[in-house]
Amino acid sequence: MKKNMYKLIALFLSLFFAFSTSVCSLADEPNLSVYGEGKYPITEEPIVLKAFATRIVPSHSWDIKTNWTTKFMEQVTNIHIEWEEIIGDENQQAQKLNLKLISGDYPDIFLSTPMSRAQLQYYGSLGTLIPLNDLIEKYAPNFKKVMEENPGLKESITAPDGNIYGLPSVSQAYHTLAPNKTWVYKPWMEKLGLEYPKTTEDLYNVLLAFRDNDPNGNGKKDEIPIASPDINGIYNYIMNAFVYYDGTYTKLEDGKISFIANTNEFKEGLRYLHKLYSENLIIQNIYTMDKQQLMALTMADTNIVGAVSSLWMGGFVSSSLAQDPNSRFWEFTGSFETLAGPTGIKETVYKAPDYVGNTFSITNVCKYPVEAIKWVDFIYNIYNDMNVHYGPQWDTEEQLQSAGYGWRKAQEGELGNNGKPAIWKYVGFQSDNNAGYGCKVVPSYQPSEMHSGQVASDTATNYEGVLWQVTDKNYMPYAVNKSVPGLYMDEDASSTIAEYQVLLKTYVAEKMALFVTGELNIDNDWDSYVNELNALGVNDYLKIYQEQFDKSGR
């Protein structure tokens, strides 16, 4: 009797969620269509998969077990996920993951963990993680299509033994491809009649004007010309006017890896930063600054900050203000463009997606590997991803606005942020409504057309449109990719390179701070700094790194 009941439920669901078939929605019910290839439900009778998943401490609270997406995916697939979820910062996640890996008490699947390529390779070689190649070929048509449409993805997730042990997120938000931005407080630019800077000399003059001309009008010389949630934001924006700088201190040109933190160009970049810092043009506690401290300044009744180096405005002003067109959030939507340096270099880093297969892996204790790969394959379709990460689909604008969260397909005549026909529209912070994962916990599939194809709102609060337009105008024309891609390496070489990277990055970061603040003199102490880099083994590091890059075939 019970078996027959499950069959009836499965039959109902298979009809209800037929491939690419829309379901007629009631006025107050979402559209539960399923898109892409694959047959649903995946299994006639319900099964359970145990999942170990991690996510950062959330800014929007939601419950993975009761989330709308959790219920939706179970309804579609007939697979119940038994969650073991770790919420914490990156170090806490890594610690819990390592404990799980050495415990031998494995889940059926790992989801969105900080597992490194070295760990994927190691636990794959032990048999703890099973190869996914054949499963992808036979049972993951959506992900196969994603690999075909993204050159280099397959190579990036394939270990040296030829096996794929994990699947990646594929997220190509346009504004994240050129992340090194600087935003400016527009009222100050307007009050002082300043032109937006194009060169490092122009930037210096704008910051001087902020410091000296009392743009906030309070009669005090309390203005902070430029700040950042941490020093890396300023490094990333300014150093690229002198030398290619992605924070790794390496670059790749014509197949050769080189170290940039011992070059004359790097030295001149530090000289310029010291000039800004010594003249109080950079916030003086930048080396101890964090996001909360900066927000206390930018959100004060009287703003004292002129410009901020950050990926987006929500990095230093509360994103909760984004729906108020008269808020401080919108006053900070002016943008400095990519700067030209004294030698004419005008570049910013193009941050190519690094596909690490750590968002989905299957362990050797899983009894249902075929069903597991089918379950995750569901997500690798643009519209299914919208359901998973942004909440339910609605048929009409009226339903969408009434719900206050979720998404709908674009209507005829609606344009996207790129000025082309739009494909979708969403509203609300989905996680506030416990509806949608918000690009957490499971893989995401968000190609660039998903972001550029979001309906460009005709309201004054379309910040996604601002991000797209600023990126397209001020940064992408100058974006270059000279970063060394992520590599699978020999185990010994991987360990050696990791040790060198920690050693060298720690040393360079420390000395950069001392040069910028003036505790070290850029002329008198430079040679000693370079000699110490040599003593730490920078040349041996480059030799091993180059050998591994050459072997990778990348």
Side-chain angles (χ1 to χ4, degrees), residues 29-161:
E29 293 183 349
N31 183 325
L32 300 176
S33 296
V34 176
Y35 302 91
E37 299 185 41
K39 295 181 180 179
Y40 303 96
I42 290 170
T43 176
E44 286 191 7
E45 298 195 10
I47 64 172
V48 175
L49 292 176
K50 294 182 178 181
F52 178 94
T54 65
R55 62 181 165 114
I56 61 171
V57 177
S59 57
H60 302 284
S61 60
W62 49 278
D63 185 345
I64 188 68
K65 296 178 182 178
T66 61
N67 192 281
W68 179 89
T69 292
T70 301
K71 297 176 181 178
F72 172 68
M73 286 196 68
E74 182 170 345
Q75 201 173 12
V76 170
T77 64
N78 216 14
I79 296 174
H80 174 76
I81 302 298
E82 188 174 296
W83 296 96
E84 180 182 354
E85 187 188 23
I86 304 301
I87 300 176
D89 61 28
E90 291 183 0
N91 290 332
Q92 291 168 326
Q93 290 180 31
Q95 182 182 35
K96 294 292 186 180
L97 172 65
N98 290 334
L99 289 174
K100 193 69 175 177
L101 288 170
I102 64 177
S103 73
D105 178 23
Y106 302 130
D108 296 306
I109 56 176
F110 283 104
L111 292 169
S112 294
T113 69
M115 203 177 298
S116 66
R117 282 187 172 87
Q119 287 176 309
L120 287 166
Q121 183 176 345
Y122 176 71
Y123 286 100
S125 68
L126 293 181
T128 304
L129 304 180
I130 68 171
L132 304 179
N133 307 52
D134 290 343
L135 292 171
I136 294 169
E137 182 64 30
K138 295 176 182 177
Y139 306 111
N142 293 323
F143 185 71
K144 278 182 63 178
K145 185 178 180 182
V146 170
M147 286 199 297
E148 292 166 1
E149 294 175 347
N150 290 272
L153 190 158
K154 184 175 182 180
E155 292 77 8
S156 182
I157 62 174
T158 301
D161 63 7

